[in-house]
Amino acid sequence: MSHLSLRAVLITVAVFLLASVAAFSDSQVRTVRLSFVKGDVQIERGSSQHFENAMLNLPITQGSRLRASGDGRAEIEFEDGSTIRLAPNSSIEFPELVLRESGAKASSIKVIKGTAYVDFAGEKNEEFVLQFGDEKLALTHSARLRIGVGDEGAAVAVFKGDIQVEGPSGTLAVKKNQTGNFDFSSSGRDTLVKDIEQEPLDAWDKQQSDYHVRYASNSYQSYSPYSYGTADLAYYGNFFNAPGYGMMWQPYLVGAGWDPFMDGAWAFNPGFGFGWVSAYPWGWTPYHYGSWVFLPGYGWAWQPGGAWNGWYNQPRVLNAPSGFKVPQAPTTGTHSLIVNRGTGSTIVAGNKVVIRNNSAGLGVPRGEVKNLAKASQQVQAHGMVTEHVHTAQAPPMSTAGSRQPGMISGPRSQQQASSPRTSSPAPRSSSPASMPSSHPAPSGGGGRSPR
C-alpha cells in the first residue's frame, strides 16, 4: 500500500472515530417516568416490537411508544418536572431522549394521534421538541398547551406562553388563549383562531396540573438530583429527622408489617435486563436514588444520597431486620415478575376509598384525599378508614383521536394552590416485626452504612 493510500485510510478511520465519539456523547441513556396510569395503557419499548401493558413508574427510554386505548389515560414526567398527559384513544412516541455532551437534555416527542396535554417547565439547557404530522415546535420557555391530532389535521391550543409551529407552509405563531389549526391535506392551509374550545378532559388535566403545582418541592436539590417524583413524596409521605441518621422519608399508611418491596414488579428491558418497578404512586425517586434503611422504632424509611440509577436499578437495603431476605432480581427469563404481598386499598364507590393499614398509599388517587396524614393516623388506630375523594369529573372520550382541527379544549380556570403539609411522623412505640420472607422482592446491593 502506498503512503498516499495509507494516509487516506487513516484519515477515513479518524473521521469515523470522531463521528462515533460525537454520536456516543449524545447517546447517553436517559429515562423519563411513566408517572400516571389509569385504564388500558400499553407500551412498546422500541426493540421489543410489540405492545405490553404499561406499569406505573416504568422508565421510558428513547424509541418507546405509548398508547392509551378505551378509557386509558397516562402521564409522563421528565427530570425537570415537565409533563405530557395522554387522553384516551391517543398515542405518542419518543424518537429522542438523550443527554448532550454539553449537559443539555434533548427530548423529542411525536403525537401520533389523539390528544396530548403538555406542560413544559422551561428550564435552561433543555431541548424539548414536539412533533405532529409534518409540523414541529421547539419549546424554549415555560408553556402549557394541548395538541389534538386527527386524520385530516391537527389543532394546538395554548393555555400559557407562546409558541412557534414550523410546517411545510411556514411558521405559525400561537399565543396564549389562541388555537392554531393545521391542515394535513395537499392545500396545507394553517389558520389561527383567537379562542379555545372546551374539551371533556380539561378538568382532569387541570386537576393533575394543580396537584404538581401544590406538592412539587422547591428544594428538591437537597434530597434528589431531579425534580420528577418530588410532588408524590410530599403528598404520600413526609421527611423527619431520625436520631443518628439525619433526614429520612417515610410513606403514610404504613405499620409494623410493611416493607418497601411488597408491591411492584421485576420488569425486563432487552437493553438493560431486569429492574425493579415499584407499584406505589410515590415509588420513583426512592427506588432510583438513596437507600432503604430499617430504623428500630420507626420501621422502613428512605435515606437520600449516592448516585442516581436509571433503568437497571436494584435499590439498596441497609440495616435489615432478622428474617428479611434481601431482594434479588431474576437470573433467567425475559418476562416481568409481579410481586404482590401488600394489603392495597380498594375504591368502593365513585367518591369513596377504603384505605387499609400497610397500603402505603397504593390505590389512593393522588391529591384526591384532602388530608392523607390525618387518614394515616386513623388507619394506625383502627386498621382502615373510609375517605371521600375529590375527582375532576369528565364525560367519556369515545371519539378522541378522530376530531378535526379546531376541536380543542377551552382554557383552564386559575386556582390558588396551597402549601404542602410539613408535619413529621412520630416514632412507633415498639420496633416493627421482622418482614415476611415467603416471597422474594427486589434487591439492595451494598451501599452506605447507617450513621
Side-chain angles (χ1 to χ4, degrees):
M1 179 181 295
S2 67
H3 290 294
L4 291 177
S5 299
L6 179 60
R7 182 179 180 184
V9 170
L10 291 174
I11 291 175
T12 302
V13 171
V15 170
F16 174 78
L17 290 175
L18 288 174
S20 299
V21 170
F24 176 78
S25 65
D26 279 358
S27 64
Q28 299 180 49
V29 174
R30 280 179 58 212
T31 57
V32 296
R33 178 196 182 198
L34 185 54
S35 52
F36 180 92
V37 176
K38 184 176 182 180
D40 186 6
V41 180
Q42 296 181 313
I43 187 170
E44 189 268 310
R45 290 179 288 180
S47 58
S48 65
Q49 300 300 313
H50 70 275
F51 281 89
E52 58 188 79
N53 291 333
M55 294 179 285
L56 176 67
N57 292 316
L58 190 70
I60 294 178
T61 55
Q62 180 172 287
S64 297
R65 179 179 294 192
L66 196 68
R67 69 184 183 190
S69 304
D71 62 347
R73 306 177 194 179
E75 179 190 84
I76 301 90
E77 193 176 11
F78 295 78
E79 295 97 325
D80 64 350
S82 298
T83 58
I84 295 178
R85 282 182 278 275
L86 201 60
N89 298 313
S90 304
S91 62
I92 59 176
E93 64 180 353
F94 300 84
E96 185 177 43
L97 287 173
V98 300
L99 182 66
R100 301 289 191 208
E101 186 178 12
S102 63
K105 299 178 184 68
S107 304
S108 177
I109 303 95
K110 183 175 183 179
V111 182
I112 302 172
K113 71 171 185 178
T115 302
Y117 292 87
V118 180
D119 192 344
F120 178 59
E123 288 195 2
K124 296 181 179 179
N125 297 323
E126 299 290 329
E127 301 176 26
F128 202 89
V129 178
L130 299 166
Q131 306 173 46
F132 55 94
D134 293 327
E135 280 74 24
K136 72 173 185 177
L137 62 104
L139 298 179
T140 57
H141 52 272
S142 179
R144 295 187 57 175
L145 53 105
R146 186 182 61 246
I147 302 175
V149 180
D151 296 331
E152 300 178 4
V156 179
V158 178
F159 300 112
K160 173 185 175 182
D162 55 83
I163 62 173
Q164 301 279 335
V165 182
E166 299 179 4
S169 60
T171 300
L172 182 67
V174 188
K175 297 181 179 180
K176 181 181 178 180
N177 295 330
Q178 294 182 344
T179 301
N181 292 323
F182 303 89
D183 188 358
F184 291 168
S185 67
S186 57
S187 60
R189 291 178 298 178
D190 302 336
T191 59
L192 182 66
V193 178
K194 295 183 178 180
D195 195 7
I196 298 177
E197 295 185 19
Q198 188 173 0
E199 287 265 332
L201 282 187
D202 281 359
W204 170 73
D205 173 66
K206 181 183 184 301
Q207 182 188 43
Q208 303 306 311
S209 178
D210 287 348
Y211 168 82
H212 283 288
V213 170
R214 179 175 183 177
Y215 293 101
S217 172
N218 293 324
S219 59
Y220 69 86
Q221 293 92 344
S222 63
Y223 60 85
S224 174
Y226 305 111
S227 66
Y228 57 171
T230 59
D232 297 324
L233 292 179
Y235 177 69
Y236 287 99
N238 216 335
F239 281 91
F240 65 101
N241 192 352
Y245 293 85
M247 293 303 295
M248 309 286 287
W249 180 89
Q250 189 175 64
Y252 297 133
L253 309 166
V254 297
W258 179 83
D259 74 70
F261 312 109
M262 298 185 78
D263 292 279
W266 284 106
F268 183 82
N269 184 295
F272 302 95
F274 281 100
W276 176 253
V277 178
S278 173
Y280 298 116
W282 47 263
W284 178 255
T285 300
Y287 296 87
H288 292 267
Y289 183 66
S291 307
W292 281 99
V293 185
F294 185 80
L295 305 178
Y298 289 87
W300 288 96
W302 172 66
Q303 184 180 51
W308 183 271
N309 295 313
W311 166 264
Y312 187 77
N313 66 96
Q314 298 197 21
R316 296 183 295 183
V317 175
L318 304 177
N319 202 34
S322 175
F324 178 80
K325 286 188 177 180
V326 176
Q328 297 290 337
T331 57
T332 60
T334 58
H335 295 288
S336 297
L337 178 63
I338 304 297
V339 176
N340 183 8
R341 298 187 286 113
T343 57
S345 58
T346 305
I347 303 290
V348 295
N351 64 343
K352 291 183 180 180
V353 58
V354 175
I355 307 174
R356 295 185 176 90
N357 191 27
N358 287 337
S359 65
L362 187 66
V364 177
R366 66 185 192 184
E368 295 182 20
V369 175
K370 283 188 175 180
N371 193 333
L372 206 56
K374 182 179 179 180
S376 182
Q377 294 173 356
Q378 294 174 341
V379 167
Q380 292 296 322
H382 306 290
M384 67 172 60
V385 66
T386 299
E387 291 285 336
H388 288 273
V389 296
H390 306 272
T391 307
Q393 301 295 328
M397 293 282 287
S398 59
T399 58
S402 61
R403 293 185 292 277
Q404 301 305 314
M407 299 287 289
I408 284 296
S409 304
R412 290 168 246 175
S413 61
Q414 300 298 315
Q415 192 175 76
Q416 184 67 32
S418 61
S419 300
R421 295 177 296 276
T422 57
S423 58
S424 299
R428 302 192 182 106
S429 57
S430 60
S431 299
S434 299
M435 302 298 106
S437 58
S438 58
H439 299 275
S443 168
R448 301 183 314 279
S449 299
R451 288 179 286 168

mmCIF file of all heavy atoms in Angstrom, residues 25 44 106 120 172 188 210 241 260 301 361 395:
data_model
loop_
_atom_site.group_PDB
_atom_site.id
_atom_site.type_symbol
_atom_site.label_atom_id
_atom_site.label_comp_id
_atom_site.label_asym_id
_atom_site.label_seq_id
_atom_site.Cartn_x
_atom_site.Cartn_y
_atom_site.Cartn_z
ATOM 1 N N SER A 25 -21.350 10.694 22.494
ATOM 2 C CA SER A 25 -21.507 11.728 23.510
ATOM 3 C C SER A 25 -22.947 12.205 23.606
ATOM 4 O O SER A 25 -23.372 12.698 24.640
ATOM 5 C CB SER A 25 -20.583 12.916 23.197
ATOM 6 O OG SER A 25 -20.976 13.548 21.991
ATOM 7 N N GLU A 44 -44.701 0.088 23.970
ATOM 8 C CA GLU A 44 -43.807 -0.670 23.087
ATOM 9 C C GLU A 44 -42.451 -0.009 23.201
ATOM 10 O O GLU A 44 -42.294 1.177 22.917
ATOM 11 C CB GLU A 44 -44.319 -0.644 21.646
ATOM 12 C CG GLU A 44 -43.564 -1.575 20.703
ATOM 13 C CD GLU A 44 -42.410 -0.857 20.014
ATOM 14 O OE1 GLU A 44 -42.629 0.226 19.469
ATOM 15 O OE2 GLU A 44 -41.278 -1.400 20.045
ATOM 16 N N ALA A 106 -32.016 16.467 25.743
ATOM 17 C CA ALA A 106 -32.753 16.622 24.494
ATOM 18 C C ALA A 106 -33.901 15.632 24.455
ATOM 19 O O ALA A 106 -33.692 14.419 24.573
ATOM 20 C CB ALA A 106 -31.830 16.413 23.297
ATOM 21 N N PHE A 120 -44.663 22.345 29.942
ATOM 22 C CA PHE A 120 -43.207 22.448 29.871
ATOM 23 C C PHE A 120 -42.709 23.416 30.920
ATOM 24 O O PHE A 120 -43.157 24.563 31.000
ATOM 25 C CB PHE A 120 -42.789 22.911 28.474
ATOM 26 C CG PHE A 120 -41.305 23.089 28.312
ATOM 27 C CD1 PHE A 120 -40.429 22.034 28.519
ATOM 28 C CD2 PHE A 120 -40.773 24.315 27.936
ATOM 29 C CE1 PHE A 120 -39.066 22.188 28.374
ATOM 30 C CE2 PHE A 120 -39.416 24.477 27.776
ATOM 31 C CZ PHE A 120 -38.554 23.416 27.998
ATOM 32 N N LEU A 172 -46.180 29.336 12.070
ATOM 33 C CA LEU A 172 -47.379 29.949 12.635
ATOM 34 C C LEU A 172 -47.130 30.241 14.107
ATOM 35 O O LEU A 172 -46.781 29.347 14.886
ATOM 36 C CB LEU A 172 -48.585 29.022 12.480
ATOM 37 C CG LEU A 172 -49.918 29.581 13.001
ATOM 38 C CD1 LEU A 172 -50.362 30.763 12.138
ATOM 39 C CD2 LEU A 172 -51.001 28.491 13.011
ATOM 40 N N GLY A 188 -52.712 22.306 2.600
ATOM 41 C CA GLY A 188 -51.853 22.626 3.733
ATOM 42 C C GLY A 188 -52.045 24.009 4.303
ATOM 43 O O GLY A 188 -51.093 24.683 4.671
ATOM 44 N N ASP A 210 -52.670 21.019 38.859
ATOM 45 C CA ASP A 210 -52.737 21.656 40.177
ATOM 46 C C ASP A 210 -52.053 20.795 41.237
ATOM 47 O O ASP A 210 -51.432 21.310 42.168
ATOM 48 C CB ASP A 210 -54.190 21.903 40.574
ATOM 49 C CG ASP A 210 -54.823 23.039 39.785
ATOM 50 O OD1 ASP A 210 -54.077 23.773 39.114
ATOM 51 O OD2 ASP A 210 -56.064 23.179 39.841
ATOM 52 N N ASN A 241 -36.591 13.856 61.020
ATOM 53 C CA ASN A 241 -35.204 13.764 61.473
ATOM 54 C C ASN A 241 -35.069 12.578 62.412
ATOM 55 O O ASN A 241 -35.553 12.610 63.538
ATOM 56 C CB ASN A 241 -34.795 15.066 62.177
ATOM 57 C CG ASN A 241 -33.289 15.139 62.397
ATOM 58 O OD1 ASN A 241 -32.571 14.175 62.159
ATOM 59 N ND2 ASN A 241 -32.823 16.291 62.862
ATOM 60 N N PRO A 260 -40.676 -1.901 51.891
ATOM 61 C CA PRO A 260 -40.798 -1.120 50.651
ATOM 62 C C PRO A 260 -40.942 -1.946 49.386
ATOM 63 O O PRO A 260 -41.106 -1.376 48.304
ATOM 64 C CB PRO A 260 -39.477 -0.325 50.614
ATOM 65 C CG PRO A 260 -38.886 -0.437 51.969
ATOM 66 C CD PRO A 260 -39.356 -1.730 52.517
ATOM 67 N N ALA A 301 -37.575 3.333 56.238
ATOM 68 C CA ALA A 301 -37.567 4.723 55.792
ATOM 69 C C ALA A 301 -36.510 4.884 54.709
ATOM 70 O O ALA A 301 -35.543 4.117 54.641
ATOM 71 C CB ALA A 301 -37.292 5.675 56.956
ATOM 72 N N GLY A 361 -50.276 3.908 50.578
ATOM 73 C CA GLY A 361 -50.805 4.779 49.536
ATOM 74 C C GLY A 361 -51.194 4.063 48.265
ATOM 75 O O GLY A 361 -51.709 4.692 47.338
ATOM 76 N N PRO A 395 -66.847 13.700 31.000
ATOM 77 C CA PRO A 395 -67.579 12.715 30.219
ATOM 78 C C PRO A 395 -66.636 11.825 29.435
ATOM 79 O O PRO A 395 -65.473 12.160 29.245
ATOM 80 C CB PRO A 395 -68.432 13.585 29.274
ATOM 81 C CG PRO A 395 -67.710 14.889 29.202
ATOM 82 C CD PRO A 395 -67.057 15.063 30.529
#
